[in-house]
Amino acid sequence: MILVTGGAGFIGSNFVLDWLATQDEPLVNLDKLTYAGNPANLASLADDARHTFVHGDVCDAALLQQLLQAHQPRAIVHFAAESHVDRSIHGAADFIDANIMGTYRLLEAARGYWAALPTGRQDAFRFVHVSTDEVYGSLAPDAPAFAEDHRYAPNSPYSASKAAADHLVRAWHQTYGLPVLTSNCSNNYGPYQFPEKLIPLLILNALAGKSLPIYGDGRQVRDWLYVGDHCSAIRRILARGAPGQVYNVGGWNEKTNLEIVHAVCALLDALRPRADGQPYARQLRHVQDRPGHDRRYAIDARKIERELGWRPAETFETGIRKTVQWYLDHPDWVAGVQSGAYRDWLSTQYGATDEEV
Ligand code: NAD
Ligand code: DAU
């Protein structure tokens, strides 16, 4: 079996659902259930004996040791993290704890467990660390996309904490020989994404008749990847990746934020037109920019394609259509995540009431 951390969050829950749909191997899912962890994402697994959910913290060394001993996983896939850049700007402490200390505790627990395994199982063991392209910082408009040897230059508390975690993971391989693999992926979108992130925020604000807040001029560029493709890349890295290696994962889909908002609005115009027949793009508002806002990310994903034979299955057009349709089809899930705590966040970040974000 495998141990997954953060498997109740956006990417983690997609990974758990895809794993159990495509493999016959059980998994243990350790998640602290922060505001971003949502048991509803895993509701379809309620009767699936292959899924063991453990409510706990990756910073809890005793719990980690006990879980590894009890379940004897052949691999760990580490998603658990604080993941939202804007929240890290409001307060970095949770990011330092979860992303740096959590990764350190998990590496130490894994090292102790792995060192005591018999040789065959030791050779087969893998620790997959799920990281981000944000560790590389911001690209000039005409600069080549991030390759694996791009220098680290994180600009936000979030990306700095992920960069620190990446360095720890590397060091545990170089120093102790732990068979780690790191993936640095671009922006994901798809089902179960918490609506603090751009794409689900746009969909839900549009449907609610609220403003569509675009930071600054909206010409920042992100490289968008459908979440199912990120999950297939991680499965491929786990199955075929070489220990100690880093793989950049991306969708070859560079888009400005303005292109994203217009794509989402056009789909909603077609799938769920406004009652007054006006285009959703009318709701677009430019708001104050994010401090330290990275201008451009782009991933050079040729290494994972060349060495592991991975390519994304979705184009941006197919992935964004599926995503918008998923949010339209899941009003109960949407209602569940729009709790009081979510409204508090909107008010903190956008400085407006629930009615007029
Ligand atoms: P998310 O915020 O949706 O989910 C994070 C999950 O981790 C939640 O379920 C939360 O409860 C859990 N968690 C947080 N702290 C924990 C702790 N101390 N112990 C146990 N569980 C804890 O995040 P996401 O968007 O699914 O991202 C998952 C991983 O992928 C993160 O490591 C993130 O840095 C990385 N990543 C995300 C993206 C993206 O676009 N979302 C892109 C590249 C990499
Ligand atoms: O690149 C990978 C990263 O992508 C992951 O490591 C992070 O966990 C994930 O949150 C994401 O980070 P971003 O900051 O790029 O994602 P976000 O959805 O917050 O913002 C995407 C872009 O949209 C960014 O340029 C900021 C902008 N934006 C965002 C929000 C929430 C807006 O213009 N308005 C908004 O209201």
Side-chain angles (χ1 to χ4, degrees):
M1 55 82 64
I2 66 168
L3 172 65
V4 171
T5 72
F10 163 49
I11 305 172
S13 63
N14 275 281
F15 180 85
V16 167
L17 293 168
D18 286 0
W19 181 269
L20 293 174
T22 57
Q23 330 274 310
D24 210 17
E25 187 176 13
L27 63 80
V28 170
N29 180 356
L30 171 65
D31 198 295
K32 187 178 174 182
L33 297 181
T34 67
Y35 78 92
N38 186 354
N41 299 1
L42 305 165
S44 63
L45 301 177
D47 298 321
D48 192 329
R50 299 171 303 161
H51 178 237
T52 303
F53 184 77
V54 179
H55 184 194
D57 192 331
V58 284
C59 295
D60 183 343
L63 173 65
L64 294 174
Q65 199 182 6
Q66 181 232 312
L67 282 178
L68 291 168
Q69 286 310 320
H71 296 284
Q72 297 282 309
R74 71 168 178 93
I76 296 173
V77 185
H78 180 36
F79 294 95
E82 289 291 335
S83 69
H84 192 35
V85 173
D86 294 319
R87 286 187 192 255
S88 80
I89 294 168
H90 285 281
D94 288 348
F95 291 73
I96 308 298
D97 288 346
N99 302 2
I100 305 179
M101 288 308 295
T103 302
Y104 160 66
R105 298 272 185 230
L106 191 62
L107 284 166
E108 274 298 78
R111 179 166 80 93
Y113 165 74
W114 166 79
L117 289 174
T119 312
R121 286 184 56 207
Q122 206 175 66
D123 291 344
F125 185 78
R126 297 286 182 269
F127 182 113
V128 179
H129 172 59
V130 181
S131 191
T132 169
D133 59 0
E134 299 202 11
V135 298
Y136 300 125
S138 191
L139 282 172
D142 53 352
F146 299 129
E148 286 77 2
D149 59 358
H150 198 280
R151 78 184 171 115
Y152 270 45
N155 291 318
S156 73
Y158 161 69
S159 55
S161 69
K162 291 294 290 188
D166 292 8
H167 292 323
L168 292 174
V169 169
R170 176 188 158 88
W172 260 241
H173 177 71
Q174 295 294 125
T175 305
Y176 305 112
L178 190 68
V180 305
L181 304 107
T182 295
S183 64
N184 292 90
C185 186
S186 60
N187 285 61
N188 285 210
Y189 66 99
Y192 302 112
Q193 187 166 29
F194 192 75
E196 63 189 356
K197 308 283 167 59
L198 180 67
I199 287 180
L201 182 88
L202 292 175
I203 298 169
L204 301 190
N205 277 17
L207 293 172
K210 297 181 188 173
S211 298
L212 306 178
I214 296 298
Y215 299 160
D217 65 5
R219 299 192 188 281
Q220 303 83 4
V221 172
R222 298 290 183 267
D223 182 352
W224 293 91
L225 181 69
Y226 187 70
V227 65
D229 282 326
H230 188 188
C231 294
S232 74
I234 294 168
R235 289 199 301 276
R236 187 64 61 92
I237 290 168
L238 174 59
R240 298 198 205 155
Q245 290 296 308
V246 172
Y247 299 95
N248 283 359
V249 182
W252 304 102
N253 277 312
E254 285 188 61
K255 305 263 180 224
T256 65
N257 294 337
L258 285 172
E259 287 176 305
I260 295 294
V261 70
H262 285 293
V264 167
C265 287
L267 278 166
L268 287 172
D269 288 339
L271 297 169
R272 182 73 56 86
R274 271 173 46 140
D276 62 4
Q278 294 294 316
Y280 282 100
R282 282 178 66 116
Q283 293 167 226
L284 194 159
R285 300 282 181 276
H286 288 269
V287 300
Q288 192 174 6
D289 208 351
R290 173 186 279 174
H293 199 170
D294 286 333
R295 199 67 187 163
R296 174 176 170 238
Y297 305 142
I299 281 281
D300 178 344
R302 283 178 297 179
K303 177 178 174 182
I304 188 170
E305 179 176 357
R306 189 176 60 244
E307 297 187 5
L308 306 185
W310 175 87
R311 271 190 74 81
E314 302 289 346
T315 63
F316 183 73
E317 288 65 34
T318 60
I320 194 68
R321 178 173 282 274
K322 278 187 187 179
T323 303
V324 171
Q325 191 65 58
W326 187 89
Y327 281 89
L328 291 174
D329 291 345
H330 291 81
D332 292 348
W333 184 90
V334 167
V337 297
Q338 290 179 317
S339 65
Y342 177 63
R343 287 197 292 274
D344 292 347
W345 164 250
L346 292 182
S347 166
T348 304
Q349 174 63 9
Y350 301 96
T353 65
D354 195 26
E355 284 68 43
E356 53 178 10
V357 167

